Amino acid sequence: MTAALLCAAIVAVWGAEIAPARACEAAAIIVEVSGSEDPILVAALALGESRLDPAATNGRTCGPMAVKAAPATCRRWARDPRAGYVAGVAMLGEARRWCARRRAPGIGPGLLCTLAVYASGPRGARERLYRQPRAILRRAAALRAAMPMGGAS
């Protein structure tokens, strides 16, 4: 996955809402920091949480991936978007590991579990709060569809 492909997909799908410069800056950071996580999934999360705005806040969370943080951290993330994405990717990894440790029926290690835990904490998986995770998956599918060869790397 390259930043240019991800940027082009974001602009193709959300260009009316997100400036191309913001989309391309976010895509470059996401591809750099996503590590073992799917960059398209990371982008889909950030699109839903903040429309890729590193200064976004909602009272309890902040940054491009809406991570719980102290106000001073939120101000730093507004100036350093990379740090906000790094925190979000780390939180996504923690959610994935939480789900992998649980093999109970209905909670298992799947992607819906991971996204539910990311969005709502462990309660999200236990209570099957899947509306937001399904929206994330729809955004990821739209990004994949906007890429040549369906987002294949």
Side-chain angles (χ1 to χ4, degrees):
M1 167 69 50
T2 68
L5 281 175
L6 184 56
C7 175
I10 293 168
V11 170
V13 179
W14 285 278
E17 300 173 43
I18 299 169
R22 179 186 290 177
C24 291
E25 178 186 13
I29 294 169
I30 289 167
V31 168
E32 175 195 348
V33 304
S34 60
S36 64
E37 299 297 340
D38 176 5
I40 294 172
L41 186 63
V42 173
L45 272 163
L47 282 159
E49 297 291 0
S50 71
R51 290 294 189 237
L52 307 177
D53 182 359
T57 62
N58 79 358
R60 298 173 308 180
T61 64
C62 64
M65 295 185 68
V67 175
K68 289 182 183 177
T73 302
C74 293
R75 288 189 295 275
R76 182 172 58 86
W77 289 349
R79 294 185 309 273
D80 177 13
R82 185 182 184 282
Y85 283 104
V86 167
V89 168
M91 190 170 125
L92 184 60
E94 289 171 19
R96 189 177 303 284
R97 286 186 294 280
W98 187 93
C99 291
R101 287 191 303 267
R102 279 133 187 100
R103 300 266 180 213
I107 294 182
L111 190 53
L112 271 178
C113 176
T114 298
L115 296 174
V117 171
Y118 184 94
S120 304
R123 178 179 155 261
R126 284 193 294 267
E127 296 180 16
R128 294 188 175 112
L129 303 176
Y130 293 153
R131 192 179 108 229
Q132 187 174 357
R134 286 190 174 110
I136 295 164
L137 292 175
R138 284 191 299 274
R139 284 191 296 275
L143 287 172
R144 283 187 210 293
M147 295 180 143
M149 296 173 38
S153 321

PDB file of all heavy atoms in Angstrom, residues 131-145:
ATOM      1  N   ARG A 131     -22.873  -1.380  15.449  1.00  0.00           N
ATOM      2  CA  ARG A 131     -23.282  -0.381  14.460  1.00  0.00           C
ATOM      3  C   ARG A 131     -22.086   0.442  13.972  1.00  0.00           C
ATOM      4  O   ARG A 131     -21.867   0.584  12.773  1.00  0.00           O
ATOM      5  CB  ARG A 131     -24.363   0.540  15.044  1.00  0.00           C
ATOM      6  CG  ARG A 131     -25.025   1.387  13.975  1.00  0.00           C
ATOM      7  CD  ARG A 131     -26.117   2.279  14.519  1.00  0.00           C
ATOM      8  NE  ARG A 131     -25.581   3.619  14.474  1.00  0.00           N
ATOM      9  CZ  ARG A 131     -25.588   4.484  15.447  1.00  0.00           C
ATOM     10  NH1 ARG A 131     -26.121   4.195  16.600  1.00  0.00           N
ATOM     11  NH2 ARG A 131     -25.067   5.669  15.304  1.00  0.00           N
ATOM     12  N   GLN A 132     -21.311   0.981  14.898  1.00  0.00           N
ATOM     13  CA  GLN A 132     -20.141   1.770  14.503  1.00  0.00           C
ATOM     14  C   GLN A 132     -19.089   0.907  13.801  1.00  0.00           C
ATOM     15  O   GLN A 132     -18.549   1.325  12.775  1.00  0.00           O
ATOM     16  CB  GLN A 132     -19.555   2.501  15.704  1.00  0.00           C
ATOM     17  CG  GLN A 132     -18.441   3.455  15.321  1.00  0.00           C
ATOM     18  CD  GLN A 132     -17.962   4.287  16.498  1.00  0.00           C
ATOM     19  OE1 GLN A 132     -18.486   4.202  17.596  1.00  0.00           O
ATOM     20  NE2 GLN A 132     -16.950   5.087  16.270  1.00  0.00           N
ATOM     21  N   PRO A 133     -18.768  -0.292  14.300  1.00  0.00           N
ATOM     22  CA  PRO A 133     -17.816  -1.136  13.567  1.00  0.00           C
ATOM     23  C   PRO A 133     -18.258  -1.440  12.134  1.00  0.00           C
ATOM     24  O   PRO A 133     -17.442  -1.447  11.213  1.00  0.00           O
ATOM     25  CB  PRO A 133     -17.737  -2.404  14.417  1.00  0.00           C
ATOM     26  CG  PRO A 133     -18.020  -1.919  15.799  1.00  0.00           C
ATOM     27  CD  PRO A 133     -19.062  -0.848  15.630  1.00  0.00           C
ATOM     28  N   ARG A 134     -19.533  -1.664  11.938  1.00  0.00           N
ATOM     29  CA  ARG A 134     -20.013  -1.931  10.572  1.00  0.00           C
ATOM     30  C   ARG A 134     -19.867  -0.689   9.694  1.00  0.00           C
ATOM     31  O   ARG A 134     -19.581  -0.798   8.499  1.00  0.00           O
ATOM     32  CB  ARG A 134     -21.445  -2.439  10.609  1.00  0.00           C
ATOM     33  CG  ARG A 134     -21.509  -3.877  11.105  1.00  0.00           C
ATOM     34  CD  ARG A 134     -22.886  -4.494  10.924  1.00  0.00           C
ATOM     35  NE  ARG A 134     -22.837  -5.897  11.287  1.00  0.00           N
ATOM     36  CZ  ARG A 134     -23.412  -6.420  12.371  1.00  0.00           C
ATOM     37  NH1 ARG A 134     -24.086  -5.649  13.201  1.00  0.00           N
ATOM     38  NH2 ARG A 134     -23.308  -7.709  12.616  1.00  0.00           N
ATOM     39  N   ALA A 135     -20.047   0.487  10.263  1.00  0.00           N
ATOM     40  CA  ALA A 135     -19.836   1.728   9.505  1.00  0.00           C
ATOM     41  C   ALA A 135     -18.369   1.871   9.115  1.00  0.00           C
ATOM     42  O   ALA A 135     -18.054   2.294   7.993  1.00  0.00           O
ATOM     43  CB  ALA A 135     -20.294   2.939  10.318  1.00  0.00           C
ATOM     44  N   ILE A 136     -17.472   1.489  10.011  1.00  0.00           N
ATOM     45  CA  ILE A 136     -16.037   1.521   9.707  1.00  0.00           C
ATOM     46  C   ILE A 136     -15.742   0.577   8.547  1.00  0.00           C
ATOM     47  O   ILE A 136     -15.015   0.929   7.612  1.00  0.00           O
ATOM     48  CB  ILE A 136     -15.196   1.155  10.953  1.00  0.00           C
ATOM     49  CG1 ILE A 136     -15.358   2.211  12.040  1.00  0.00           C
ATOM     50  CG2 ILE A 136     -13.716   0.970  10.586  1.00  0.00           C
ATOM     51  CD1 ILE A 136     -14.894   1.767  13.421  1.00  0.00           C
ATOM     52  N   LEU A 137     -16.312  -0.615   8.598  1.00  0.00           N
ATOM     53  CA  LEU A 137     -16.090  -1.591   7.525  1.00  0.00           C
ATOM     54  C   LEU A 137     -16.660  -1.087   6.194  1.00  0.00           C
ATOM     55  O   LEU A 137     -16.070  -1.322   5.135  1.00  0.00           O
ATOM     56  CB  LEU A 137     -16.688  -2.938   7.894  1.00  0.00           C
ATOM     57  CG  LEU A 137     -15.991  -3.654   9.056  1.00  0.00           C
ATOM     58  CD1 LEU A 137     -16.736  -4.925   9.428  1.00  0.00           C
ATOM     59  CD2 LEU A 137     -14.532  -3.939   8.728  1.00  0.00           C
ATOM     60  N   ARG A 138     -17.785  -0.378   6.226  1.00  0.00           N
ATOM     61  CA  ARG A 138     -18.329   0.200   4.985  1.00  0.00           C
ATOM     62  C   ARG A 138     -17.393   1.275   4.428  1.00  0.00           C
ATOM     63  O   ARG A 138     -17.178   1.343   3.211  1.00  0.00           O
ATOM     64  CB  ARG A 138     -19.731   0.780   5.224  1.00  0.00           C
ATOM     65  CG  ARG A 138     -20.812  -0.283   5.335  1.00  0.00           C
ATOM     66  CD  ARG A 138     -22.214   0.313   5.305  1.00  0.00           C
ATOM     67  NE  ARG A 138     -22.469   1.237   6.396  1.00  0.00           N
ATOM     68  CZ  ARG A 138     -22.896   0.881   7.615  1.00  0.00           C
ATOM     69  NH1 ARG A 138     -23.111  -0.387   7.897  1.00  0.00           N
ATOM     70  NH2 ARG A 138     -23.121   1.795   8.531  1.00  0.00           N
ATOM     71  N   ARG A 139     -16.824   2.101   5.306  1.00  0.00           N
ATOM     72  CA  ARG A 139     -15.863   3.115   4.832  1.00  0.00           C
ATOM     73  C   ARG A 139     -14.629   2.441   4.241  1.00  0.00           C
ATOM     74  O   ARG A 139     -14.111   2.870   3.205  1.00  0.00           O
ATOM     75  CB  ARG A 139     -15.471   4.059   5.969  1.00  0.00           C
ATOM     76  CG  ARG A 139     -16.534   5.080   6.313  1.00  0.00           C
ATOM     77  CD  ARG A 139     -16.033   6.159   7.242  1.00  0.00           C
ATOM     78  NE  ARG A 139     -15.639   5.667   8.541  1.00  0.00           N
ATOM     79  CZ  ARG A 139     -16.464   5.478   9.570  1.00  0.00           C
ATOM     80  NH1 ARG A 139     -17.756   5.732   9.446  1.00  0.00           N
ATOM     81  NH2 ARG A 139     -16.010   5.044  10.715  1.00  0.00           N
ATOM     82  N   ALA A 140     -14.151   1.376   4.881  1.00  0.00           N
ATOM     83  CA  ALA A 140     -12.987   0.651   4.356  1.00  0.00           C
ATOM     84  C   ALA A 140     -13.318   0.047   2.992  1.00  0.00           C
ATOM     85  O   ALA A 140     -12.496   0.100   2.069  1.00  0.00           O
ATOM     86  CB  ALA A 140     -12.544  -0.440   5.337  1.00  0.00           C
ATOM     87  N   ALA A 141     -14.503  -0.498   2.846  1.00  0.00           N
ATOM     88  CA  ALA A 141     -14.908  -1.073   1.553  1.00  0.00           C
ATOM     89  C   ALA A 141     -14.979   0.004   0.480  1.00  0.00           C
ATOM     90  O   ALA A 141     -14.577  -0.229  -0.676  1.00  0.00           O
ATOM     91  CB  ALA A 141     -16.252  -1.781   1.698  1.00  0.00           C
ATOM     92  N   ALA A 142     -15.469   1.185   0.826  1.00  0.00           N
ATOM     93  CA  ALA A 142     -15.529   2.287  -0.154  1.00  0.00           C
ATOM     94  C   ALA A 142     -14.119   2.702  -0.577  1.00  0.00           C
ATOM     95  O   ALA A 142     -13.879   2.973  -1.765  1.00  0.00           O
ATOM     96  CB  ALA A 142     -16.276   3.479   0.443  1.00  0.00           C
ATOM     97  N   LEU A 143     -13.188   2.742   0.378  1.00  0.00           N
ATOM     98  CA  LEU A 143     -11.797   3.069   0.019  1.00  0.00           C
ATOM     99  C   LEU A 143     -11.205   2.001  -0.889  1.00  0.00           C
ATOM    100  O   LEU A 143     -10.565   2.321  -1.891  1.00  0.00           O
ATOM    101  CB  LEU A 143     -10.944   3.216   1.288  1.00  0.00           C
ATOM    102  CG  LEU A 143     -11.180   4.462   2.118  1.00  0.00           C
ATOM    103  CD1 LEU A 143     -10.420   4.378   3.444  1.00  0.00           C
ATOM    104  CD2 LEU A 143     -10.778   5.717   1.353  1.00  0.00           C
ATOM    105  N   ARG A 144     -11.416   0.741  -0.553  1.00  0.00           N
ATOM    106  CA  ARG A 144     -10.892  -0.353  -1.394  1.00  0.00           C
ATOM    107  C   ARG A 144     -11.466  -0.274  -2.810  1.00  0.00           C
ATOM    108  O   ARG A 144     -10.758  -0.477  -3.787  1.00  0.00           O
ATOM    109  CB  ARG A 144     -11.220  -1.703  -0.788  1.00  0.00           C
ATOM    110  CG  ARG A 144     -10.354  -2.078   0.366  1.00  0.00           C
ATOM    111  CD  ARG A 144     -10.608  -3.507   0.837  1.00  0.00           C
ATOM    112  NE  ARG A 144     -10.357  -3.661   2.245  1.00  0.00           N
ATOM    113  CZ  ARG A 144      -9.172  -3.571   2.831  1.00  0.00           C
ATOM    114  NH1 ARG A 144      -8.115  -3.326   2.115  1.00  0.00           N
ATOM    115  NH2 ARG A 144      -9.046  -3.720   4.132  1.00  0.00           N
ATOM    116  N   ALA A 145     -12.760  -0.005  -2.907  1.00  0.00           N
ATOM    117  CA  ALA A 145     -13.410   0.061  -4.215  1.00  0.00           C
ATOM    118  C   ALA A 145     -12.878   1.211  -5.063  1.00  0.00           C
ATOM    119  O   ALA A 145     -12.884   1.143  -6.287  1.00  0.00           O
ATOM    120  CB  ALA A 145     -14.921   0.198  -4.046  1.00  0.00           C
TER     121      ALA A 145
END
